């Protein structure tokens, strides 16, 4: 966001470096900080008051931490070891305290001399290192430390009240070293050019940017920190929303063919043969979509709905409306299993309406073709011909749809299923297949909190389906603590048998396939003390299926499904399961989206702690799709108090996807949620918290929309224009376009 030569000066230069070359190198490699401006925007994670110490009791395991504490006691021990056989080995144990807890520091060998002299009882210092456990006690081994010596001039009060910034750090560069580097470049903050228009900044009482940068890095009071944060959050929200507003503005200028359904066409015939009525939500969302399709610029709409809320039905009706209007519709699915499944269900729902050009087809019918990478040459040629001539009104496929060879007669609508699995280029390539930009409908079953929708999908209008269709059954979810209560796991398999005896089917989901070569390097690295459960590799489909067949599910028909099977085999397994020939399907997450077998009522998720919250919610949505109630069992070996267990308890306690997506967002870093759109150190949100700052994001969106409507090219706001270029190099702006 920095536009001034001084702020764009690289930290590392061949002739003279702003910082020492070693420090600059670590900053570039480990923190992604390349320029003076990057460093100024590396904000403190929190502040310590010298007099008010960190809670040692709450230290996270296995993380790099910085704490401010006082030495309670220090003892030097000698011991014998291979290196020092005559009892000459030395170990210094220092106990530090903050009133809430105690933490042990250990130093060995030659490393004991300096701390032995300096870390005397009563000394206060900042300590940084990785928290580990030894003999059931928390410790830091060989921490780096910086003594906090009050200036002799300073009174005790000012010394204790001083705010020490604690920066996001790495093992190679402690927080206080980053702080010193920032103090070196802080004078250049005066040259930062302000991206916020003056009227906006003054109207909202925000401090100028140079002042905000000084206050965030060198606050005198807590009020300074608040002023700086409010201002820097606004920068991030506003510049991002201007980028999105410009995309929306540009999209609104594009031409598109309006697609209005014929009054007595396919859509009318299709609605007439539906055996149920659409929910109010489906009717409302369909109206929003039809209104968009009737305009002469491209629709860009995000359709989000709970698992099983009938999004496919809404999308199919939109596709039929476009076919009625003389165009073609393409649906892009993330996996072959899902493309085949969609194709099957669309053909079933349409019946004779999907048999255009065939004997027995209805007079207003069209053709529905499938196009995937693994199709045979003849079938593929046939499908391509149907698309090029316009014989096929609807095509459903995987990325194979995007290949150069695929030509459409008149592509009018693109439906993208499960947006988060599609890359940018793919969506763009498909949109490029139309004579004019086609209308776009993006479907996601991962409910997205409103603020994230405004931030990530800010170029799309949003429709929400929040009602489940009639006839859907409730799903009961329970956590099964396999390590604490092994008999719970035995009971889980009994429940699966009971479901099968009642004529139903079950899924068992595992994180891994099981035919991978175990990489010794990888397994050596993975050592987390959270629990033994973390140390073993995740459970695998092939192993679990084998154990179930020989053990608790003996006598039932068990099959496996995973991503590395041949597509024909996958399809055959899914067909047998859908037909009820298989009792239990042991699978990886290939069944996560779109798989629809109403007779499957139970799901057991092994190592459930290895999955994310929204993924568990997605998986669970595969059961309870018929009239019988669903059951989802989350099996874990994680201890009761662990964050992983809390996450699973949250999933078990609610079926509300929006509530879960909030929990998910609070537990993960924002950057993960914003995905690639926020990758790269320069461009990620540093200050803005998508959940907490809902109000700022909504206001920034309004302000940005107004600014762009008045001056789309930002001609009168050169500083904002430059800030935008810094935030969005070309590639990033392209990314935002796709959400």
């Amino acid at each position: 966001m920095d536009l001034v030569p001084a702020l764009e000066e690289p930290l590392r230069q061949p002739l003279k470096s702003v910082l020492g070359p070693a420090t600059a190198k670590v900053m570039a490699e480990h923190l992604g900080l390349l320029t003076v401006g990057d460093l100024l925007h590396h904000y403190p994670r929190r502040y310590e008051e010298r007099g008010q110490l960190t809670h040692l009791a709450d230290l996270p395991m296995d993380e790099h931490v910085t704490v401010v504490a006082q030495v309670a006691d220090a003892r030097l021990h000698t011991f014998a070891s291979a290196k020092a056989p005559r009892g000459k080995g030395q170990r210094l144990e220092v106990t530090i305290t903050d009133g809430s807890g105690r933490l042990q520091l250990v130093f060995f060998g030659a490393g004991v001399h300096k701390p032995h002299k300096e870390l005397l009882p009563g000394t206060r210092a900042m300590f940084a290192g990785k928290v580990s456990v030894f003999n059931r006690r928390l410790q830091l081994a060989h921490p780096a430390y910086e003594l906090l010596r009050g200036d002799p001039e300073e009174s005790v009060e000012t010394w204790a009240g001083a705010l020490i910034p604690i920066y996001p750090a790495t093992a190679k560069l402690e927080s206080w070293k980053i702080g010193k580097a920032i103090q070196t470049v802080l004078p250049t903050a005066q040259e930062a050019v302000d991206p916020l228009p003056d009227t906006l900044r003054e109207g909202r009482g925000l401090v100028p940017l140079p002042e905000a940068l000084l206050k965030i890095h060198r606050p005198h009071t807590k009020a300074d920190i608040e002023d700086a944060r409010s201002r820097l959050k606004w920068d991030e929200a506003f510049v991002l929303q201007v980028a999105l507003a410009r995309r929306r503005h540009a999209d609104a200028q594009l031409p598109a063919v309006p697609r209005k359904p014929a009054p007595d066409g396919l859509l009318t015939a299709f609605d007439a043969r539906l055996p149920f009525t659409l929910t109010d939500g489906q009717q409302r969302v369909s109206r929003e979509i039809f209104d968009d399709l009737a305009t002469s610029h491209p629709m860009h709409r995000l359709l989000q709905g709970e698992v099983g809320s009938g999004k496919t039905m809404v999308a199919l009706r939109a596709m039929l409306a476009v076919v009625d209007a003389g165009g073609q519709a393409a649906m892009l699915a993330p996996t072959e299993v899902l493309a085949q499944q969609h194709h099957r269900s669309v053909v079933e729902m349409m019946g004779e309406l999907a048999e255009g050009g065939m004997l027995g087809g209805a007079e207003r019918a069209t053709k529905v073709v499938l196009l995937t990478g693994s199709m045979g040459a003849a079938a593929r040629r046939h499908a391509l011909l149907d698309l090029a001539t316009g014989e096929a009104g609807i095509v459903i496929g995987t990325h194979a749809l995007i290949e150069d060879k695929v030509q459409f007669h008149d592509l009018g609508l693109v439906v993208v299923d499960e947006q988060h699995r599609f890359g940018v280029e793919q969506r763009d390539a498909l949109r490029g297949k139309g004579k004019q930009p086609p209308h776009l409908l993006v479907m996601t079953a991962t409910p997205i909190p409103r603020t994230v929708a405004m931030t990530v999908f800010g170029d799309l209008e949003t429709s929400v389906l929040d009602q489940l269709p009639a006839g859907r059954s409730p799903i009961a979810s329970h956590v099964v603590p396999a390590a604490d209560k092994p008999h719970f796991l035995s009971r889980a398999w009994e429940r699966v048998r009971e479901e099968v005896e009642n004529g139903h089917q079950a899924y068992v989901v595992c994180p891994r396939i099981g035919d991978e070569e175990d990489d010794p390097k990888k397994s050596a690295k993975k050592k987390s003390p959270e629990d033994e459960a973390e140390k073993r590799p995740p459970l695998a489909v092939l192993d679990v299926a084998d154990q179930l067949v020989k053990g608790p599910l003996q006598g039932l028909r068990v099959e496996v499904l995973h991503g590395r099977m041949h597509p024909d085999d996958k399809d055959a397994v899914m067909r047998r399961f859908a037909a009820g020939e298989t009792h239990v399907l042991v699978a990886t997450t290939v069944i996560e989206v779109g798989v629809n077998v109403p007779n499957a009522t139970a799901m057991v998720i092994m190592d459930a702690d290895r999955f994310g919250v929204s993924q568990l919610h997605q998986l669970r949505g595969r059961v309870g799709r018929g009239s019988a109630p669903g059951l989802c069992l989350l099996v874990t070996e994680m201890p009761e108090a662990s964050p992983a267990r809390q996450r699973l308890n949250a999933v078990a306690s609610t079926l509300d996807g929006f509530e879960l997506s909030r929990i998910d967002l609070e537990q993960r870093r924002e950057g993960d949620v914003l995905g690639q759109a926020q990758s790269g150190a320069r461009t990620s949100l540093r200050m803005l918290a998508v959940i907490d700052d809902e109000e700022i994001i909504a206001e920034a969106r309004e302000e940005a929309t107004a600014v762009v409507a008045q001056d789309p090219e930002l001609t009168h706001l050169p500083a904002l224009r430059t800030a935008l270029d810094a935030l969005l190099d070309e590639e990033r702006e392209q990314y935002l376009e796709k959400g």
Side-chain angles (χ1 to χ4, degrees):
M1 242 173 250
D2 318 305
L3 353 151
V4 183
L7 271 69
E8 294 200 342
E9 198 175 329
L11 295 172
R12 220 175 141 185
Q13 295 174 6
L15 298 174
K16 66 171 184 62
S17 282
V18 176
L19 309 170
T23 307
K25 183 173 185 238
V26 173
M27 284 192 172
E29 287 174 7
H30 293 272
L31 296 168
L33 306 175
L34 306 174
T35 66
V36 171
D38 290 345
L39 186 52
L40 286 174
H41 284 297
H42 187 71
Y43 307 133
R45 174 178 287 161
R46 57 193 169 83
Y47 300 85
E48 286 296 355
E49 284 181 78
R50 284 195 175 118
Q52 175 201 3
L53 303 177
T54 326
H55 286 302
L56 290 180
D58 304 335
L59 285 182
M61 283 302 310
D62 245 20
E63 271 189 32
H64 210 81
V65 298
T66 304
V67 296
V68 177
Q70 184 164 353
V71 176
D73 124 291
R75 294 171 189 210
L76 192 61
H77 302 272
T78 53
F79 60 90
S81 71
K83 286 186 181 169
R86 297 201 193 118
K88 295 279 178 67
Q90 291 193 308
R91 179 175 80 248
L92 175 66
E93 290 179 3
V94 178
T95 308
I96 58 172
T97 179
D98 65 350
S100 77
R102 296 165 86 80
L103 178 66
Q104 192 165 45
L105 316 177
V106 287
F107 301 88
F108 292 100
V112 304
H113 305 308
K114 187 166 175 272
H116 191 216
K117 282 207 298 264
E118 294 183 334
L119 297 178
L120 304 170
T123 310
R124 300 164 85 87
M126 275 204 281
F127 301 93
K130 198 171 185 187
V131 183
S132 57
V133 168
F134 181 70
N135 278 348
R136 301 200 161 192
R137 290 168 65 191
L138 292 183
Q139 71 165 26
L140 295 181
H142 282 282
Y145 63 88
E146 175 93 334
L147 300 180
L148 297 175
R149 299 188 178 92
D151 196 317
E153 314 292 295
E154 246 178 352
S155 73
V156 175
E157 284 73 28
T158 27
W159 187 86
L163 294 159
I164 307 166
I166 305 289
Y167 290 93
T170 76
K172 295 227 164 59
L173 199 63
E174 293 87 16
S175 167
W176 54 85
K177 288 187 183 159
I178 296 172
K180 283 178 180 165
I182 286 173
Q183 296 302 335
T184 313
V185 301
L186 203 51
T188 51
Q190 292 305 337
E191 302 183 40
V193 174
D194 205 322
L196 291 191
D198 291 347
T199 47
L200 188 158
R201 189 172 57 71
E202 287 156 11
R204 294 189 174 272
L206 299 168
V207 300
L209 182 58
E211 186 184 327
L213 290 170
L214 285 170
K215 283 182 167 175
I216 201 82
H217 293 297
R218 203 186 277 163
H220 293 299
T221 62
K222 289 185 177 169
D224 283 353
I225 301 172
E226 277 317 297
D227 285 352
R229 280 190 171 151
S230 310
R231 163 61 218 246
L232 295 166
K233 281 180 177 184
W234 252 95
D235 269 22
E236 288 181 9
F238 181 69
V239 176
L240 193 55
Q241 291 301 337
V242 166
L244 293 164
R246 291 188 67 213
R247 295 258 37 117
R248 289 195 300 277
H249 186 268
D251 284 338
Q253 311 308 308
L254 291 173
V257 180
R259 309 280 179 176
K260 291 182 181 161
D264 281 324
L266 262 174
L267 182 60
T268 315
F270 175 74
D271 284 350
R273 48 172 291 138
L274 281 180
F276 51 81
T277 46
L278 298 173
T279 64
D280 296 347
Q282 285 174 317
Q283 290 178 358
R284 184 192 73 245
V285 170
S286 289
R287 278 196 299 277
E288 291 171 352
I289 292 171
F290 292 152
D291 290 349
D292 281 359
L293 289 174
T295 61
S296 55
H297 56 86
M299 162 170 85
H300 289 101
R301 192 166 278 283
L302 173 69
L303 170 56
Q304 53 177 49
E306 274 294 6
V307 180
S309 57
K311 292 181 299 297
T312 314
M313 173 62 69
V314 169
L316 176 55
R317 293 183 74 240
M319 295 199 288
L320 293 173
V322 169
V323 174
D324 267 351
Q328 289 169 296
M331 183 186 241
L332 202 51
T335 63
E336 294 213 344
V337 167
L338 194 52
Q340 287 161 342
Q341 179 99 23
H342 274 320
H343 181 254
R344 251 200 313 276
S345 59
V346 164
V347 169
E348 273 167 29
M349 285 195 275
M350 286 176 63
E352 62 198 26
L353 299 175
E355 295 169 0
M358 296 184 225
L359 279 172
E363 58 183 277
R364 285 192 295 268
T366 186
K367 246 188 196 178
V368 179
V369 298
L370 175 69
L371 192 62
T372 63
S374 64
M375 281 168 74
R380 189 178 169 76
R381 249 197 326 275
H382 213 109
L384 290 173
L385 188 64
D386 284 343
L387 286 179
T389 58
E391 184 91 5
I394 294 178
V395 57
I396 295 169
T398 53
H399 328 306
L401 276 179
I402 295 160
E403 289 173 14
D404 295 343
K405 297 189 190 86
V406 182
Q407 297 298 324
F408 288 86
H409 177 64
D410 178 14
L411 180 61
L413 170 67
V414 175
V415 178
V416 179
D417 187 16
E418 286 308 319
Q419 163 66 9
H420 57 281
R421 293 162 175 249
F422 269 107
V424 177
E425 304 77 22
Q426 296 164 328
R427 225 170 88 179
D428 239 18
L430 192 55
R431 276 169 60 175
K433 299 265 181 200
K435 295 188 175 84
Q436 284 195 333
H439 298 282
L440 176 71
L441 181 65
V442 173
M443 298 198 296
T444 175
T446 310
I448 301 164
R450 174 170 161 261
T451 43
V452 180
M454 283 194 291
T455 310
V456 186
F457 296 99
D459 59 334
L460 301 172
E461 298 300 323
T462 306
S463 294
V464 179
L465 271 179
D466 43 16
Q467 279 172 295
L468 290 186
R472 278 292 159 86
S473 303
I475 304 170
S477 308
H478 303 284
V479 176
V480 177
D484 316 350
K485 299 178 177 158
H487 60 286
F488 276 34
L489 184 58
S490 314
R491 177 71 190 114
W493 301 126
E494 284 170 22
R495 284 291 290 110
V496 169
R497 289 195 87 96
E498 287 164 16
E499 289 299 313
V500 172
E501 280 159 17
N502 290 331
H504 298 302
Q505 292 158 279
Y507 297 99
V508 176
V509 182
C510 305
R512 236 172 23 116
I513 296 174
D515 57 0
E516 306 89 347
E517 290 295 310
D518 278 331
D519 180 347
K521 280 190 199 148
K522 272 191 191 161
S523 49
K525 269 168 114 177
K526 181 74 184 163
K527 284 277 189 289
S528 158
E530 186 163 16
D531 194 89
E532 277 299 311
E534 274 286 284
K535 291 187 183 167
R536 61 162 175 72
L539 290 171
V541 166
L542 301 176
D543 306 341
V544 169
D546 194 44
Q547 290 160 14
L548 291 176
V549 171
K550 291 175 182 162
L553 301 186
Q554 204 170 1
L556 300 186
R557 287 193 296 280
V558 176
E559 289 208 65
V560 299
L561 179 71
H562 59 74
R564 281 213 289 276
M565 287 164 63
H566 187 279
D568 293 349
D569 297 341
K570 280 194 269 197
D571 197 36
V573 168
M574 269 320 296
R575 278 176 192 275
R576 285 195 293 275
F577 190 64
E581 294 164 26
T582 306
H583 295 137
V584 179
L585 188 61
V586 183
T588 55
T589 53
V590 289
I591 61 153
E592 180 185 346
V593 285
V595 172
N596 184 19
V597 180
N599 191 44
T601 52
M603 176 176 283
V604 180
I605 303 179
M606 307 303 291
D607 277 345
D609 47 89
R610 308 282 178 122
F611 299 98
V613 170
S614 56
Q615 211 176 13
L616 291 169
H617 183 56
Q618 279 289 326
L619 285 165
R620 168 170 66 183
R622 301 301 113 217
V623 295
R625 299 177 81 85
S627 50
L631 172 69
C632 178
L633 301 173
L634 307 167
V635 179
T636 178
E637 292 186 8
M638 285 294 162
E640 186 124 24
S642 63
R645 270 287 278 283
Q646 288 159 10
R647 209 168 60 230
L648 295 179
N649 291 341
V651 174
S653 67
T654 177
L655 291 171
D656 179 344
F658 285 93
E659 178 54 32
L660 287 175
S661 66
R662 274 191 97 88
I663 294 169
D664 197 17
L665 196 50
E666 280 160 9
Q667 289 187 340
R668 300 193 298 168
R669 289 186 7 263
E670 314 290 340
D672 300 342
V673 178
L674 304 185
Q676 251 175 301
Q678 292 295 350
S679 68
R682 287 185 63 110
T683 54
S684 57
L685 297 185
R686 297 177 180 81
M687 201 42 95
L688 199 66
V690 174
I691 283 282
D692 302 339
D693 299 321
E694 184 161 347
E695 224 167 278
I696 294 179
I697 293 171
E699 288 173 17
R701 182 178 164 113
E702 271 175 45
E703 294 272 12
T705 308
V707 164
V708 171
Q710 272 185 333
D711 180 4
E713 291 304 310
L714 308 179
T715 324
H716 303 299
L717 297 167
L720 174 57
R721 172 87 228 191
T722 320
L724 200 59
D725 295 342
L727 175 77
L728 306 177
D729 38 39
E730 268 314 289
E731 181 180 55
R732 178 125 160 72
E733 191 147 8
Q734 289 304 315
Y735 191 91
L736 278 171
E737 175 187 2
K738 285 71 178 189

